Amino acid sequence: MNTPNPALRESATFDRGVISEIQRAAETGIYDIRGWGAKRRLPHFDDLLFLGASMSRYPLEGYREKCDTDVVLGDRNAKFPLHLDIPITIAGMSFGALSGQAKEALGRGASEVGTSTTTGDGGMTPEERGQSKNLVYQYLPSRYGMNPDDLRKADAIEIVLGQGAKPGGGGMLLGQKITERVAGMRTLPMGVDQRSACRHPDWTGPDDLAIKIIELREITNWEKPIYIKVGATRTYYDVKLAVKAGADVVVVDGMQGGTAATQDVFIEHVGIPTLAAIPQAVQALQELGVHRKVQLIVSGGIRSGADVAKAMALGADAVAIGTAALIALGDNSPRYAKQYEELGSAAGFYDDFQAGKDPAGITTQDPELSKNLDPVEGGRRLANYLRVLTMEAQTLARACGKSHLRNLEPEDLVALTVEASAMARVPLAGTTWIPGAL
Ligand SMILES: Cc1cc2nc3c(=O)[nH]c(=O)nc-3n(C[C@H](O)[C@H](O)[C@H](O)COP(=O)(O)O)c2cc1C
């Protein structure tokens, strides 16, 4: 192997990564498709800090004073809104991308701590419905696996207009994962790559969406909350249109949001960071007079209780997690380090979501590999992780003097960088300055 001359000066524009990507593209003639979210450094929740209480604010005592965590989602129009014990939900991830065992484990973990799970492209599985106390059913442009009976079996309906990892793009499931069962549920041929629609086939704008929402309410007897999920781009306008169309809940998924598979160029170059999207969404809801009445769920790069608390302080009612939930289940654990190496991947990396050879049994359709995930154990791990997120968020809220997570507010936060300050619309630490604020 040629060792590069250490005296060679690396170009900032054509660095080693760029050179190797050009070489790969020239060699193969295909673009890179991968899972996971944006890998570039983006302004994120890490760039915000809480101002704990001291003299001007009164903190709450962790061991004696309560800090509640429950949330009601979708009480604007639905007969049966969702009552969740914690404001951390499981994001929509498709059966097809995930194994049946993984879906079951997500249901078990979420139900144990009183929160919801969400289906995904490809329909509802008995594993997930069976184990999920609160199941949100996704209604996607592809309509794969869509059936009115399943709409009625769900506890809420989420109309997907886009995802943070690929706003403006459709789903993708490579042939390796289109097994007989997945093909049957999606009415597709086995083993052939699936690229699904980027927009709903029967509507061309918000007016049609309003009609669609009424149609879905009629089919489900006005019982279920209707969510609308958008990838973060022109969030201020999108949220306004979603509310006008009749959404009970708006889900905003930022650019860091995970995906099972899409083009790398899409993941890294389309959309805006989660941090930038939340204040836009909150402003839109406030101007319409529906902040806290139409609930806001935020996703995209949520990893810790600090992230949860910061999203809520900026105005979210709840958050959703995808990638972190899979890590919690046990996916890509060091236990399988050798197998990952053989796949050209590494334990803890998620680029290989699409390949379907996950030795941990989570992002695969291989019946033998799927057996490596015990849904009971996976569910237990997820429940533990969700409890930790909740306790961390409560710790921060109490330190800010808040007796409920929803009482966190932008005034509790400052930013570490000028970029984060401008995007999150909270002052730069130690100043009263918010760039761009009047
Ligand atoms: C394996 C996987 C599969 C996904 N499948 C879907 C899907 O079918 N429908 C959808 O709306 N979003 C899908 N997503 C995106 C998630 O719903 C969510 O927006 C995203 O994962 C949130 O970001 P996070 O992964 O950083 O938590 C998927 C994400 C992952 C990781």
Side-chain angles (χ1 to χ4, degrees):
M1 200 181 103
N2 288 337
T3 319
N5 176 356
L8 280 180
R9 197 170 144 219
E10 186 156 335
S11 160
T13 312
F14 285 83
D15 64 20
R16 283 177 218 286
V18 172
I19 293 171
S20 121
E21 173 52 20
I22 294 173
Q23 287 166 338
R24 189 204 62 77
E27 184 69 26
T28 62
I30 52 175
Y31 50 51
D32 190 17
I33 294 177
R34 67 172 175 87
W36 212 346
K39 290 191 176 186
R40 61 157 83 201
R41 160 103 187 111
L42 292 164
H44 199 36
F45 295 116
D46 288 339
D47 301 316
L48 301 182
L49 297 172
F50 278 104
L51 295 175
S54 54
M55 286 279 276
S56 54
R57 294 282 182 284
Y58 202 66
L60 297 186
E61 182 58 67
Y63 293 96
R64 274 180 283 131
E65 288 170 303
K66 270 175 57 173
C67 176
D68 290 327
T69 60
D70 61 306
V71 63
V72 178
L73 297 173
D75 53 351
R76 183 157 85 135
N77 295 298
K79 277 189 213 155
F80 305 129
L82 257 54
H83 291 259
L84 304 183
D85 294 337
I86 61 169
I88 309 158
T89 65
I90 305 301
M93 291 183 276
S94 65
F95 169 72
L98 303 187
S99 63
Q101 282 85 337
K103 285 305 234 177
E104 180 181 338
L106 290 172
R108 285 178 180 275
S111 299
E112 192 174 324
V113 294
T115 189
S116 60
T117 54
T118 314
T119 63
D121 215 357
M124 185 188 280
T125 58
E127 289 94 327
E128 190 170 35
R129 177 61 285 185
Q131 295 302 332
S132 300
K133 198 163 157 262
N134 297 289
L135 180 60
V136 183
Y137 183 60
Q138 282 199 334
Y139 186 82
L140 294 111
S142 71
R143 303 282 199 277
Y144 289 141
M146 212 305 280
N147 110 37
D149 289 332
D150 287 345
L151 281 173
R152 293 188 194 102
K153 277 188 217 153
D155 300 293
I157 295 161
E158 180 169 295
I159 303 178
V160 179
L161 297 194
Q163 268 178 250
K166 44 184 168 180
M172 194 179 262
L173 192 66
L174 298 194
Q176 297 97 306
K177 293 173 111 175
I178 317 263
T179 56
E180 198 179 346
R181 183 176 176 199
V182 174
M185 282 176 71
R186 297 181 187 217
T187 344
L188 284 172
M190 275 171 64
V192 178
D193 291 354
Q194 167 244 297
R195 285 155 201 266
S196 56
C198 63
R199 53 176 200 256
H200 287 258
D202 50 353
W203 34 283
T204 52
D207 293 344
D208 294 335
L209 176 56
I211 297 168
K212 179 59 70 181
I213 288 178
I214 292 180
E215 203 177 289
L216 291 170
R217 289 198 198 284
E218 289 290 327
I219 296 174
T220 55
N221 198 24
W222 290 74
E223 287 175 356
K224 334 258 174 202
I226 309 272
Y227 300 12
I228 292 184
K229 176 177 180 176
V230 290
T233 55
R234 297 178 182 85
T235 307
Y236 170 78
Y237 296 104
D238 291 344
V239 170
K240 281 208 161 173
L241 289 171
V243 172
K244 292 271 186 201
D248 298 316
V249 175
V250 181
V251 182
V252 175
D253 190 29
M255 173 180 180
Q256 289 97 329
T259 179
T262 205
Q263 297 93 328
D264 176 82
V265 72
F266 220 142
I267 303 179
E268 297 291 353
H269 297 279
V270 185
I272 62 170
T274 308
L275 200 60
I278 305 175
Q280 287 195 26
V282 172
Q283 185 189 344
L285 294 170
Q286 282 170 340
E287 285 178 7
L288 293 172
V290 295
H291 187 218
R292 306 292 184 208
K293 292 182 186 139
V294 170
Q295 287 78 30
L296 173 65
I297 301 181
V298 167
S299 58
I302 304 249
R303 309 148 296 174
S304 65
D307 293 347
V308 175
K310 288 171 188 175
M312 294 188 69
L314 290 177
D317 295 275
V319 302
I321 58 168
T323 305
L326 300 185
I327 298 173
L329 290 188
D331 197 11
N332 284 345
S333 76
R335 196 148 55 105
Y336 298 105
K338 199 164 159 291
Q339 288 95 318
Y340 282 113
E341 211 180 303
E342 282 163 16
L343 293 172
S345 186
F349 277 68
Y350 281 81
D351 302 46
D352 54 352
F353 273 157
Q354 83 286 1
K357 295 180 183 147
D358 176 14
I362 296 175
T363 58
T364 182
Q365 291 302 317
D366 182 309
E368 286 308 309
L369 293 176
S370 299
K371 282 187 202 150
N372 289 342
L373 177 70
D374 172 1
V376 176
E377 171 60 10
R380 188 190 65 81
R381 292 173 58 92
L382 177 65
N384 273 344
Y385 171 63
L386 290 169
R387 281 191 198 100
V388 169
L389 292 187
T390 308
M391 287 189 292
E392 285 177 345
Q394 284 173 301
T395 301
L396 293 168
R398 283 197 188 95
C400 295
K402 303 290 162 44
S403 60
H404 199 296
L405 289 185
R406 83 165 84 87
N407 296 341
L408 285 162
E409 52 193 323
E411 205 262 339
D412 293 317
L413 292 171
V414 291
L416 273 173
T417 66
V418 175
E419 287 84 356
S421 171
M423 289 183 191
R425 304 184 192 172
V426 299
L428 191 64
T431 76
T432 52
W433 182 52
I434 303 177
L438 294 175

